[in-house]
Amino acid sequence: TLLFLSSCASNNIYKEIFTILKNISQGPDDLTQSEISKVSFASMQLRLGKNPNSLVVLEEDRNGVLKWTTSNNIKIYTLNGYIIRFTGLENSLDKIELDKNHPAITSDFSNLKNLIFTSYYSFRDPNLFDLPIKTFIREIGREKILISGENLDCIVYEENSLENLISWRFVNKLWVNVNNGEIVKASQFITPRNPNVNFKVTKKYKKP
């Protein structure tokens, strides 16, 4: 399942990729297509809070969980475009065990009315394991998103947290491709101590 690191980690190609990535960042505006095209691998644009946008590349696909890597060794793990692990920060997301009916698992965003999802969050530094977080998801609009030169029709959803043991309240925003239920853009909160993560697919991953 290793997409490219096994073939280039031991040579100059790997170093070249991350030299390019280290230099690709800007403000909150989207990265330009010329910047995106500098890396030929599947990639996404990522921003933590108000920091500049950076390009991250796909490292591996492990049973549908995609692992992305930044130039400063931050690792992001996504399932259908939803972050379920985020390491490399002082307070990191060790894992989210999603509700089995959560649309990030089922790819089905229809009939969400009156549904409550219970997922379990685990954090590091400080450690907190299997914190139950209840959320509900609702549709808030439609928007076209430019991905790999293609305008995708997306439905925009909000995921709202409910009262929990640490009083952590957040609102995630998800842009979902109407054709396949894939999350192609999101603003997602990953821990109580970090700002939201904004990310968007810039070059789609095509399974071999």
Side-chain angles (χ1 to χ4, degrees), residues 131-162:
L131 171 70
I133 298 286
K134 293 183 181 294
T135 62
F136 69 91
I137 300 174
R138 65 188 184 97
E139 180 181 336
I140 61 171
R142 287 179 174 260
E143 190 175 328
K144 285 187 178 292
I145 301 294
L146 184 63
I147 305 289
S148 300
E150 179 184 0
N151 273 313
L152 300 182
D153 288 318
C154 294
I155 301 177
V156 188
Y157 296 90
E158 274 188 355
E159 180 180 28
N160 294 260
S161 67
L162 299 173

Side-chain angles (χ1 to χ4, degrees), residues 122-136:
S122 295
F123 308 114
R124 296 283 184 181
D125 301 320
N127 295 340
L128 179 60
F129 303 110
D130 295 330
L131 171 70
I133 298 286
K134 293 183 181 294
T135 62
F136 69 91

Side-chain angles (χ1 to χ4, degrees), residues 4-5 8-19 69:
F4 73 92
L5 289 188
C8 62
S10 60
N11 59 35
N12 291 331
I13 297 175
Y14 184 82
K15 293 180 181 178
E16 181 182 347
I17 291 168
F18 284 96
T19 298
T69 303

Side-chain angles (χ1 to χ4, degrees), residues 155-174:
I155 301 177
V156 188
Y157 296 90
E158 274 188 355
E159 180 180 28
N160 294 260
S161 67
L162 299 173
E163 186 59 39
N164 51 71
L165 296 174
I166 61 172
S167 300
W168 182 32
R169 301 303 298 267
F170 59 82
V171 179
N172 295 330
K173 199 171 179 181
L174 312 170

